[in-house]
Amino acid sequence: DGGITQSPKYLFRKEGQNVTLSCEQNLNHDAMYWYRQDPGQGLRLIYYSQIVNDFQKGDIAEGYSVSREKKESFPLTVTSAQKNPTAFYLCASTFRGPNNSPLHFGNGTRLTVT
Amino acid sequence: AQTVTQSQPEMSVQEAETVTLSCTYDTSESDYYLFWYKQPPSRQMILVIRQEAYKQQNATENRFSVNFQKAAKSFSLKISDSQLGDAAMYFCAYRSAHGGATNKLIFGTGTLLAVQP
């Protein structure tokens, strides 16, 4: 079955450490996205990528970095510069272009930094 | 910039009854798409229904329907015959239809729906 896989489901890190969240899709989607979800704030866009080897900052990119070396993969690194990294992170993908294709989401990663 | 507003942080409905969740949005574009997503306690985001702005007819998916008022920039979700499994957080989302756009979804802050047995 096609889908988006995020791993791990739960992640714990000490403050000051970088951590990388994995996102893999086998839907042949061009575009991939990282959202952050906090209580009462909905989903906010961190980074997105329309094609391989290209990505753009979203609304809250500070303290995060990404790479898009393969179409299937879009890992997110939460760096020590991110002041409030504890959150729920969702990866999504869709076909590129002006269409009504919905975003497909992974199951998310809950990151806790202490 | 486009914005999406959900003014009801929480709603409650009795099982088998009907409930309407509100969503308004702000945009200067004429061509766009609107979506409702459901996020149950598992936190998986599930597409409930979608609407193309150029279509006047309101979208319907089984017990779920929308009331799309383009001039008023309103996009409410009606859930009929509510079931216990409908309990979830519901997000309204906007997406531009313009070519070359990011295709990103812009989300509202969500409405938490409780279904009372």
Side-chain angles (χ1 to χ4, degrees):
Chain A
D1 285 339
I4 300 177
T5 302
Q6 287 187 246
S7 61
K9 187 172 182 178
Y10 298 97
L11 194 52
F12 298 88
R13 279 294 182 271
K14 295 288 188 184
E15 194 173 321
Q17 293 179 335
N18 290 356
V19 59
T20 298
L21 283 59
S22 170
C23 178
E24 304 276 335
Q25 55 97 2
N26 59 4
L27 299 166
N28 199 32
H29 285 166
D30 310 290
M32 297 186 73
Y33 307 81
W34 274 105
Y35 285 89
R36 170 179 171 143
Q37 186 176 15
D38 296 283
Q41 296 200 51
L43 278 70
R44 294 181 292 167
L45 182 65
I46 305 172
Y47 266 98
Y48 61 96
S49 169
Q50 299 268 58
I51 55 174
V52 174
N53 292 323
D54 185 55
F55 48 82
Q56 306 294 329
K57 292 182 178 179
D59 302 317
I60 55 165
E62 185 176 350
Y64 299 98
S65 66
V66 294
S67 63
R68 187 83 187 277
E69 298 176 1
K70 298 186 300 181
K71 187 176 184 178
E72 302 79 22
S73 179
F74 191 42
L76 173 74
T77 297
V78 184
T79 74
S80 56
Q82 168 52 230
K83 299 190 186 311
N84 296 295
T86 294
F88 187 65
Y89 291 87
L90 281 162
C91 180
S93 69
T94 189
F95 291 109
R96 188 184 171 199
N99 58 75
N100 69 347
S101 294
L103 262 61
H104 294 256
F105 286 85
N107 288 332
T109 293
R110 173 69 183 177
L111 173 64
T112 302
V113 177
T114 57
Chain B
Q2 296 86 8
T3 59
V4 177
T5 302
Q6 293 179 251
S7 58
Q8 306 155 315
E10 297 181 14
M11 291 283 284
S12 182
V13 64
Q14 292 287 328
E15 199 174 1
E17 297 292 308
T18 296
V19 65
T20 298
L21 308 184
S22 300
C23 173
T24 59
Y25 57 94
D26 188 25
T27 184
S28 58
E29 299 175 331
S30 59
D31 224 2
Y32 48 86
Y33 309 109
L34 297 165
F35 304 84
W36 278 98
Y37 278 87
K38 168 185 176 181
Q39 188 181 44
S42 67
R43 306 201 78 170
Q44 172 73 45
M45 294 288 283
I46 302 166
L47 177 68
V48 175
I49 199 165
R50 78 185 86 174
Q51 174 82 40
E52 292 85 356
Y54 64 84
K55 288 186 178 179
Q56 292 188 336
Q57 186 172 7
N58 290 323
T60 299
E61 288 286 343
N62 300 313
R63 297 182 295 106
F64 298 87
S65 61
V66 298
N67 183 6
F68 173 49
Q69 301 289 328
K70 190 172 184 179
K73 297 179 183 175
S74 171
F75 183 59
S76 60
L77 174 69
K78 185 171 83 171
I79 306 174
S80 304
D81 185 25
S82 296
Q83 301 175 359
L84 295 177
D86 295 333
M89 181 72 87
Y90 286 82
F91 290 100
C92 178
Y94 169 102
R95 180 180 181 184
S96 172
H98 291 174
T102 65
N103 289 333
K104 66 180 182 181
L105 279 185
I106 300 169
F107 287 89
T109 52
T111 296
L112 182 62
L113 178 66
V115 180
Q116 308 298 331

